Amino acid sequence: MDDEHPELTIGRLARRTGLPVRTLRFWSDEGAVPPVARSASGYRLYDAGSVARVELVRTLRELGLGLDDVCRVLSGRITVAEVADAHVAALDAQIRTLKVSRAVLSTVAKRGSTAEETALMNRLARLSAAERKQIIDEFKEEVFGGLDVEPRLRDRIGTYSVELPGDPTPEQVDAWIEVAELVRDPGFRARLRTWMELNTPAPGQGRPPGASIWWARQVVQTVAEVRKRGVAPDGPEAAEVLSKLFGDADRAVVLRSLEAGIEAGAEPYRRLVARVRGQYSSPDATEELEWLARALRAADQA
């Protein structure tokens, strides 16, 4: 501005700031950029301070603040830091919501889900922490309730949880949807209960035959090594592997335990839970477990 024109009309202010006149007029009407004076004809007039104020309003608007909050900041009723803190929390909530939406849509696309399935997945993904806990608690009661187990193991069961973190990734939300669908399935609960009964040690007793398949990864590692060498499950070398792993244990009991775990889907479930928690999970051992089951059946028929 120069001395001849110390004040700006709204048109000149628009040219100086690069904003449309209608935007400036709206901001002026809302009190964010009020005119400093009126011309003799009643037109709004602005000054150098108005230019700086427009830039501040533009910055705050680009950051997502509503005009009400902008006016509160400009009037000194609230600081920029205070309003920014509130908006960070709001943005975090929006980001979490978008992540959930992305995860649901990704799962729908991957599965080719129907509208009904999509609605169910969306509900499962948007459950509150308390609602998710209730689903897992009901699952625990049906699968673990009434098992005669040692106090230490009972304490571990009591603290067992499958909880999403406060800021889950789309992959974690996707895994939670699968877990929630599984644990609400009566058939899965029944199969897992059967498997637990076969593999859970009673107080004062050692682990049942076959429990080491699930609780000790070296069993899986041993089978993985022999499979890599191309050992057939019905051959003599496979029989040697069984002797090394199980000694004189009752092979029929071992096989029953193994088949129950495979039928229940214990291994895929383990990996799903790890994905929900964002934890490292050892590789899928399903193929090794199926090889072991075939070897046990072949040995039983020999």
Side-chain angles (χ1 to χ4, degrees), residues 51-299:
V51 176
R53 192 176 179 101
V54 166
E55 292 303 328
L56 177 57
V57 173
R58 172 157 48 191
T59 297
L60 295 176
R61 293 289 288 146
E62 287 175 350
L63 290 172
L65 275 66
L67 273 182
D68 286 345
D69 283 333
V70 170
C71 291
R72 291 169 65 203
V73 169
L74 294 173
S75 66
R77 286 176 287 160
I78 189 171
T79 67
V80 174
E82 289 170 333
V83 76
D85 186 58
H87 276 263
V88 166
L91 285 172
D92 284 343
Q94 291 175 20
I95 289 170
R96 286 193 294 271
T97 298
L98 288 172
K99 284 183 177 179
V100 169
S101 297
R102 182 189 183 282
V104 172
L105 291 172
S106 175
T107 303
V108 168
K110 181 171 59 179
R111 297 186 186 181
S113 303
T114 64
E116 292 77 11
E117 291 167 339
T118 301
L120 173 61
M121 286 188 288
N122 189 51
R123 287 197 297 274
L124 292 175
R126 298 182 190 280
L127 292 175
S128 67
E131 290 169 328
R132 291 195 297 268
K133 182 178 183 300
Q134 181 178 352
I135 287 177
I136 297 301
D137 284 347
E138 291 172 354
F139 162 74
K140 286 165 54 178
E141 177 58 31
E142 189 161 339
V143 173
F144 304 113
L147 285 178
D148 186 18
V149 297
E150 297 177 343
R152 185 171 62 177
L153 181 55
R154 184 170 299 281
D155 290 341
R156 287 179 58 189
I157 292 172
T159 58
Y160 174 82
S161 64
V162 187
E163 186 54 79
L164 280 170
D167 185 21
T169 65
E171 291 74 19
Q172 287 174 301
V173 176
D174 179 70
W176 160 253
I177 292 171
E178 292 189 55
V179 166
E181 289 174 328
L182 263 181
V183 301
R184 294 168 72 250
D185 177 6
F188 174 72
R189 292 184 180 190
R191 292 190 297 272
L192 206 63
R193 171 72 184 207
T194 298
W195 173 70
M196 288 298 302
E197 290 172 342
L198 291 171
N199 287 277
T200 302
Q205 299 182 15
R207 285 176 177 166
S212 60
I213 298 170
W214 302 97
W215 310 130
R217 298 308 296 180
Q218 61 261 36
V219 173
V220 170
Q221 292 169 0
T222 299
V223 175
E225 290 170 2
V226 299
R227 286 187 67 241
K228 188 175 181 180
R229 297 203 313 268
V231 175
D234 56 355
E237 191 173 349
E240 294 177 8
V241 172
L242 295 180
S243 296
K244 177 182 176 182
L245 290 175
F246 305 117
D248 58 357
D250 188 333
R251 301 285 178 82
V253 175
V254 173
L255 178 59
R256 188 159 61 249
S257 167
L258 179 57
E259 289 177 329
I262 293 173
E263 183 181 1
E267 179 70 0
Y269 175 72
R270 173 189 68 82
R271 289 173 55 80
L272 269 178
V273 170
R275 281 175 53 201
V276 173
R277 294 171 175 167
Q279 299 172 338
Y280 167 78
S281 175
S282 51
D284 191 331
T286 299
E287 292 185 357
E288 283 73 22
L289 297 174
E290 290 176 345
W291 184 96
L292 193 56
R294 290 195 297 271
L296 285 165
R297 292 189 199 103

Side-chain angles (χ1 to χ4, degrees), residues 1 5-9 13 16-17 33-37 44-54:
M1 289 186 296
H5 299 286
E7 295 175 335
L8 297 170
T9 63
L13 181 62
R16 289 285 294 271
T17 59
V33 187
V36 297
R44 309 176 211 222
L45 297 174
Y46 303 88
D47 59 11
S50 301
V51 176
R53 192 176 179 101
V54 166

